[in-house]
Amino acid sequence: MGRLRIGLAQVNATVGDLEGNARVILERIDEAREAGVQFLAFPELCVSGYPPEDLLLKPSFVTACRRTVERLAGGTRGLTVAIGFPERGAELYNAAAVLHDGTWVGTVRKQRLPNYGVFDELRYFTPGTGERVFLVGGAWVGVSICEDLWLPGGPVARMASAGAEVIVNINASPYHRGKWRERQRLLATRAADYGVAIAYVNLVGGQDELVFDGGSLVVDPTGEIVAEAPTFEPALLVCDIELEEVFRARLQEPRRQDATSVSGDVERTVLSSTPAAGASMRPARPGPATHDDLEEAYRALVLGTRDYVRKNGFSAVVLGLSGGIDSSLVAAVAVDALGADAVTGVSMPSRYSSEGSRTDAAALSEALGIRVLTLPIEPVHTSFLQVLKDTFAGCPEDVTEENLQARIRGTLLMALSNKFGWLLLTTGNKSELATGYATLYGDMAGGFAVIRDVPKTLVYEMARWRNAQGAQPVIPQTVIEKPPSAELRPDQKDADSLPPYDVLDPILALYVEDDRSIQEIVDAGFDEAIVRRVARLVDLSEYKRRQAPPGVKITPRAFGKDRRLPITNAFREGAAD
C-alpha cells in the first residue's frame, strides 16, 4: 500500500507580519519539496500569527490575510500544503487552506472554538461545518484544526469513518509546564480510537505572554509516537507514514467500527501528488524526543523574552541587579535570550543594601559578561525624605518610606530605558505578584516581566539548573543560599511579611491555579490561619496585578488572560464559613 511522506513545519510567526510570515512559509515549502514531502502542514493561523485578537475586527486585515494565501498557493508546485488563516465568508472562520500544485483546492473550517483560559475564539469566529478528505499520494488525508481533535467524536470521527487514514491537525497550542504529556496522551487516544495516523503540527515562538513550544509529532494508529520535532525552535519534521500499518490496525481492532460509525457526508477530493523529481526519498522515521520539564520551563522564558524584545523592535534590555535570586535569574535568562552585549545591569545601593548583595551582583555580572552601571540612590532618598519631612511630621515610619526606595529605583531604570532605548525587564516572581509583595511604580515598573509566572520555589530550581549547564555556575551560590530580602529596612527578610515560600507556593497553587476553597486547602493539611491570610493577600492585590507588565506564561493558570477577576470585588473566600 506504500507510504505517505508528511512534513510538519513548526514556524515562528509574528502577529500581523503577513509578509514576514509568508516568507518563512515559502522557505519551508521549498525545503519540504527538496525532502520529497507529499503533504506539508503549517500551524493554525500561521498566516496572521496567533492570537490576532482584535486585528480580526479589521476587514482590511482579514482581506490581506486571504491575499497572502492566494500568493502562497503559487509556491506549492509538486506538493499539497495545509495552512492556517482567518477566512472571511458570510461570517469569520478559523480556517485551513489546502493548496495543491499551485492551486487553492479546498478550505476546512474549525468547528470547535475554545473559549476558556487564554482563548477567546468565540469572540471572533463562527463555528464551521462540514469535513473534507483529500487523496494524496495514495492516502486519504483529513485536515482538522486544533480543538476539533482535542475532544472525542466530531469532525475527526467523521473523517475516519469516511476512510481517512491520516488526520492532519494544525495547532496554535500555548506552552505550560508538562503540557507535552497531555498532548501525547490525547493524540495517542484519538489515533487508537479511530485507527488513523495523526500528524500534529504546532506553532513555535513568543507572542506577548504566550509561548508556543512546537513539539510537532506523528502518532501511528496504535498510539505510538513515531516522530517528534524539537521544542522551542523552528523545525521541519519529515516522517513517512506506512499505510499498511493503518490498514492492519483497523483490521485487528473491530471495536473501532463503533467509534467511527458517525453519520454525515464528508466531501472527497482526489489530488495527484508525487514527490518532486530528484528529491531525497530515504526512509524518514525520526522517533520520539526526550523531555525535561525544568529545562523546558527555562527555555520557555528564554524564547518568550527573546521574541518579545525583538518582535517589538528593541535590541537591548536593562534591569536592576539587587544581588538577589530573582534579578540574578532574570539576568541569566536575558543573556541566554539576547547575548551579553544586549544586557545592562544596574546596581542601585541604598543605606540598607548589604555588602554581600553588592558583591553578589558584581560576581553575577562578571560571570555573565554584562555591563553594570552603579547608581547609588542615597542622595535621592535623602532628598525625598526631606521634601516630605513636614508633611509626614508625627507619623511613624512604615512601608511608605520603604516604597520610596523602590520607586526611586524604578524612576532611574525608566530614565535609562528612555534615554538609550532599552526595554526594562522587571524581576518580580509569581509568589510576590500573587500576594502583592511588590511596589507599584517601583520594582513593578518596566516593559516585560520575565518571571511573573514563576513561583519563588521554582525560581530557585531554575537557578540551580542554569548553574549546572556550563563549566562554571553563573549565579553565585551565596545568592541561592541567603534568605531572600527586599533590603528596604534594617535586617529585613521576606519571611517577615510572608509565610516561608515552601509553604506559600503550594497554597497559592491550590488557591490561584486550582480555585480551591479555603476549607479545601486546610483539609489538604495547611494551617488555617496561614491559608486565610494568603487568600486575603491574593484577593486584595488584583489592582496591582492589573497594572503589572506582561510576562511569560509557564503555569497552567497565569495571572492575566488566564485568570480574570474584577478589581472591584467584595467577595471574600471563606467569609461565610
Side-chain angles (χ1 to χ4, degrees):
M1 297 181 67
R3 63 168 66 106
L4 177 70
R5 177 157 290 192
I6 282 280
L8 303 178
Q10 57 182 47
V11 294
N12 189 338
T14 298
V15 168
D17 185 8
L18 306 189
E19 182 178 343
N21 295 341
R23 184 169 55 251
V24 171
I25 289 167
L26 288 172
E27 290 171 356
R28 287 300 189 204
I29 290 174
D30 289 342
E31 184 181 349
R33 184 184 294 110
E34 288 301 313
V37 168
Q38 295 163 284
F39 197 108
L40 175 64
F42 287 90
E44 179 181 12
L45 293 181
C46 65
V47 169
S48 61
Y50 190 96
E53 298 185 316
D54 280 11
L55 284 174
L56 293 167
L57 303 181
K58 298 177 180 291
S60 58
F61 175 74
V62 179
T63 299
C65 289
R66 180 176 185 86
R67 289 173 179 165
T68 301
V69 176
E70 291 170 347
R71 291 196 301 270
L72 289 171
T76 60
R77 176 183 54 83
L79 72 167
T80 305
V81 178
I83 182 169
F85 78 109
E87 181 201 19
R88 179 182 177 182
E91 304 288 347
L92 190 63
Y93 301 96
N94 183 339
V98 180
L99 315 175
H100 170 71
D101 201 21
T103 304
W104 191 335
V105 296
T107 303
V108 176
R109 293 169 173 173
K110 188 173 183 178
Q111 299 183 29
R112 293 165 162 170
L113 302 177
N115 212 55
Y116 55 84
V118 300
F119 302 107
D120 285 310
E121 292 198 22
L122 283 174
R123 174 180 172 90
Y124 307 106
F125 298 117
T126 296
T129 57
E131 296 82 33
R132 296 187 68 166
V133 295
F134 302 85
L135 184 62
V136 179
W140 284 104
V141 180
V143 177
S144 61
I145 304 174
C146 198
E147 201 85 358
D148 288 344
L149 179 70
W150 284 69
L151 297 173
V156 173
R158 288 189 285 271
M159 287 186 286
S161 181
E165 298 155 289
V166 179
I167 299 294
V168 168
N169 186 247
I170 68 172
N171 294 262
S173 178
Y175 166 83
H176 64 69
R177 287 190 77 193
K179 192 172 185 178
W180 64 272
R181 293 186 183 87
E182 300 172 30
R183 292 178 186 143
Q184 291 188 1
R185 283 195 298 266
L186 180 140
L187 294 173
T189 300
R190 297 290 175 267
D193 281 349
Y194 302 134
V196 294
I198 293 178
Y200 165 99
V201 61
N202 191 25
L203 199 65
V204 70
Q207 172 60 35
D208 296 342
E209 65 266 50
L210 301 181
V211 174
F212 301 92
D213 54 325
S216 304
L217 50 89
V218 177
V219 180
D220 74 13
T222 69
E224 292 295 317
I225 297 171
V226 297
E228 187 174 358
T231 52
F232 301 105
E233 61 186 71
L236 173 65
L237 178 65
V238 177
C239 178
D240 291 334
I241 295 177
E242 302 294 341
L243 302 179
E244 183 73 19
E245 293 179 3
V246 179
F247 180 69
R248 288 181 179 278
R250 290 187 167 185
L251 286 178
Q252 294 170 5
E253 184 48 85
R255 288 178 299 173
R256 291 198 184 96
Q257 297 298 325
D258 294 332
T260 59
S261 296
V262 183
S263 61
D265 294 331
V266 175
E267 185 175 350
R268 297 167 178 266
T269 303
V270 177
L271 305 174
S272 57
S273 179
T274 57
S280 167
M281 282 302 291
R282 293 188 298 273
R285 303 275 279 195
T290 58
H291 293 271
D292 180 310
D293 284 347
L294 189 56
E295 175 186 359
E296 290 184 356
Y298 186 89
R299 291 178 66 198
L301 297 182
V302 170
L303 179 57
T305 301
R306 179 189 300 129
D307 276 1
Y308 190 87
V309 171
R310 292 180 177 172
K311 290 180 179 181
N312 284 290
F314 292 91
S315 58
V317 298
V318 63
L319 73 154
L321 289 182
S322 66
I325 188 71
D326 295 328
S327 63
S328 297
L329 180 63
V330 172
V333 169
V335 169
D336 290 341
L338 306 166
D341 291 344
V343 180
T344 298
V346 185
S347 174
M348 295 169 286
S350 75
R351 65 182 70 175
Y352 302 121
S353 298
S354 66
E355 183 61 28
S357 293
R358 301 185 197 197
T359 57
D360 284 340
L364 172 80
S365 60
E366 182 177 355
L368 291 173
I370 64 174
R371 178 174 64 153
V372 175
L373 304 176
T374 300
L375 303 177
I377 70 167
E378 185 57 34
V380 185
H381 187 203
T382 300
S383 296
F384 271 45
L385 292 175
Q386 184 63 35
V387 169
L388 292 165
K389 181 179 178 181
D390 291 342
T391 304
F392 285 179
C395 299
E397 287 194 3
D398 55 18
V399 294
T400 306
E401 286 76 12
E402 295 179 26
N403 289 343
L404 276 178
Q405 299 163 72
R407 292 184 172 120
I408 291 166
R409 290 179 172 126
T411 299
L412 294 175
L413 289 168
M414 282 306 304
L416 295 171
S417 174
N418 290 162
K419 181 63 70 175
F420 301 112
W422 298 335
L423 179 69
L424 173 56
L425 302 180
T426 63
T427 61
N429 60 66
K430 187 172 188 176
S431 307
E432 295 171 346
L433 192 63
T435 56
Y437 193 60
T439 304
L440 273 175
Y441 326 120
D443 56 324
M444 290 178 67
F448 194 65
V450 175
I451 60 171
R452 66 169 276 161
D453 197 36
V454 183
K456 186 76 168 192
T457 49
L458 184 55
V459 169
Y460 282 102
E461 290 183 52
M462 285 187 170
R464 296 186 185 96
W465 179 88
R466 179 59 182 85
N467 274 355
Q469 302 314 301
Q472 299 292 332
V474 295
I475 298 175
Q477 188 62 28
T478 50
V479 171
I480 296 175
E481 293 176 351
K482 67 185 177 185
S485 170
E487 293 191 335
L488 298 176
R489 63 174 184 264
D491 300 319
Q492 183 182 25
K493 300 290 184 294
D494 287 7
D496 299 337
S497 304
L498 297 173
Y501 287 111
D502 59 354
V503 174
L504 174 64
D505 283 353
I507 294 174
L508 290 174
L510 292 168
Y511 189 65
V512 173
E513 296 180 20
D514 295 344
D515 272 331
R516 299 291 183 87
S517 69
I518 287 177
Q519 189 58 54
E520 287 175 316
I521 300 173
V522 172
D523 290 345
F526 295 93
D527 178 83
E528 182 172 353
I530 294 177
V531 173
R532 289 187 178 278
R533 177 182 166 209
V534 169
R536 179 172 174 77
L537 289 172
V538 172
D539 292 345
L540 293 178
S541 300
E542 187 63 32
Y543 78 101
K544 284 190 178 182
R545 289 189 289 271
R546 197 69 66 89
Q547 298 179 70
V552 184
K553 166 183 161 62
I554 68 162
T555 66
R557 198 173 187 203
F559 292 116
K561 284 187 177 182
D562 251 357
R563 185 180 187 270
R564 311 177 197 184
L565 290 178
I567 296 173
T568 305
N569 171 21
F571 177 77
R572 292 293 174 260
E573 177 68 45
D577 289 355

